[in-house]
Amino acid sequence: MKNTQQTQPLISIKDLVAKYGDKTILDGITVDLLPNEITVILGGSGCGKTTLLKNILRLYEPYSGTLRYWGQDVLSMNEEEFSFVLKRIGMLFQNGALLNSISIYENVSIPLEQHTKLNREVIDRIIRVKLNLVKLSHAIHLFPSELSGGMKKRAALARALALDPEILFCDEPSAGLDPLTSAALDELLLDLKSQLNMSIVIVTHELASIHRIADKIIFLDSGKMLFYGTLQAAKEAGIPQIDTFFEVGKF
């Protein structure tokens, strides 16, 4: 018998409108993001991809609409209430956002020290486990400046995983990486999704990555959502903007 609980959305977005001043950036976005899927937000430059991600994370407050995590209306939460939601999610920033003045060990320890009361021995064990997950155990005492671009992304990913998030958000994870390193990072994300039973939401314009990892896509155009569903269904939908987007990088 099918487990109906698995179909309950992790994140529900309804009629979301985002504005910068008087300019509407997102107009009426409505979508449910489901568990154990990799959802890729894509579209042309300036379509609102990063703005949608930042509104979902409440880095920007939506102008109007509703946003629910696990059925909870997070837009009505105060900062302290929302902090409990934030502990259940991880964020991989586009440039990694590692602190250059401290080691990889210390970078990964930041969320554990800020949001838990674990003792140093337990924190140490967790850090080593997370770095092993991203195949970076050997770099534990190195500094960000000593790492390649791909290694920096993996170190930042280890930090994003420190609190065992149920949802991982990634902003252009492959940006600045060569094709082989990008493919390796995609494979790592797929492995982590499987191993950790985790949902992932990714903003990217990298066509190769989209084909490798997407379970579902959200296609934005001029602030509106033109499509939500599987990649194959998107290609068969007969939507000119989507056809043009994929035709440019056709395999």
Side-chain angles (χ1 to χ4, degrees):
M1 181 179 294
K2 186 177 180 179
N3 186 349
T4 56
Q5 187 173 359
Q6 292 301 309
T7 63
Q8 297 301 309
L10 289 179
I11 302 173
S12 292
I13 304 162
K14 186 174 181 181
D15 299 326
L16 188 143
V17 174
K19 293 188 175 186
Y20 295 148
D22 294 329
K23 184 178 181 181
T24 299
I25 307 300
L26 297 172
D27 187 7
I29 305 297
T30 296
V31 64
D32 288 338
L33 305 184
L34 300 178
N36 310 123
E37 292 185 342
I38 296 180
T39 303
V40 177
I41 303 171
L42 59 110
S45 297
C47 69
K49 300 186 295 292
T50 298
T51 298
L52 177 57
L53 185 68
K54 289 181 177 179
N55 275 261
I56 294 173
L57 290 165
R58 283 187 70 185
L59 296 174
Y60 296 151
E61 288 293 318
Y63 178 79
S64 62
T66 60
L67 174 62
R68 295 179 180 274
Y69 281 76
W70 300 284
Q72 301 176 74
D73 179 7
V74 298
L75 296 182
S76 66
M77 293 180 178
N78 60 34
E79 189 173 332
E80 182 178 357
E81 291 168 332
F82 188 57
S83 69
F84 288 100
V85 174
L86 289 176
K87 290 177 184 177
R88 300 173 69 181
I89 67 180
M91 179 68 204
L92 175 60
F93 295 95
Q94 181 173 341
N95 60 3
L98 296 172
L99 298 179
N100 291 320
S101 60
I102 59 177
S103 69
I104 299 306
Y105 176 97
E106 293 168 304
N107 267 281
V108 179
S109 76
I110 290 172
L112 295 163
E113 293 177 350
Q114 290 185 340
H115 300 296
T116 76
K117 296 181 180 179
L118 299 172
N119 63 44
R120 175 49 58 184
E121 182 180 350
V122 174
I123 287 176
D124 181 82
R125 192 179 309 131
I126 291 171
I127 292 170
R128 293 177 186 278
V129 167
K130 301 308 178 186
L131 287 173
N132 184 58
L133 271 176
V134 301
K135 302 176 176 59
L136 213 58
S137 298
H138 61 287
I140 187 168
H141 296 303
L142 298 180
F143 284 74
S145 61
E146 299 176 277
L147 304 185
S148 67
M151 292 171 70
K152 288 179 183 178
K153 292 287 178 77
R154 285 188 279 145
L157 181 56
R159 185 181 59 190
L161 297 173
L163 297 177
D164 296 322
E166 296 167 59
I167 310 172
L168 174 67
F169 293 92
C170 305
D171 185 13
E172 299 282 5
S174 299
L177 301 181
D178 64 78
L180 287 177
T181 304
S182 176
L185 182 61
D186 288 341
E187 289 301 320
L188 177 58
L189 289 172
L190 289 168
D191 287 345
L192 291 172
K193 173 202 166 189
S194 176
Q195 290 181 49
L196 305 179
N197 202 29
M198 186 170 57
S199 303
I200 306 176
V201 180
I202 297 176
V203 168
T204 186
H205 66 277
E206 301 284 349
L207 289 174
S209 288
I210 294 165
H211 282 82
R212 280 191 292 261
I213 65 178
D215 292 310
K216 298 281 180 62
I217 68 165
I218 294 172
F219 192 93
L220 300 179
D221 183 71
S222 300
K224 293 183 178 293
M225 187 176 76
L226 296 190
F227 182 86
Y228 171 67
T230 66
L231 181 60
Q232 187 61 36
K235 291 184 174 184
E236 296 171 355
I239 299 172
Q241 294 93 326
I242 295 178
D243 293 343
T244 299
F245 183 89
F246 285 106
E247 189 68 28
V248 172
K250 193 171 183 179
F251 291 90

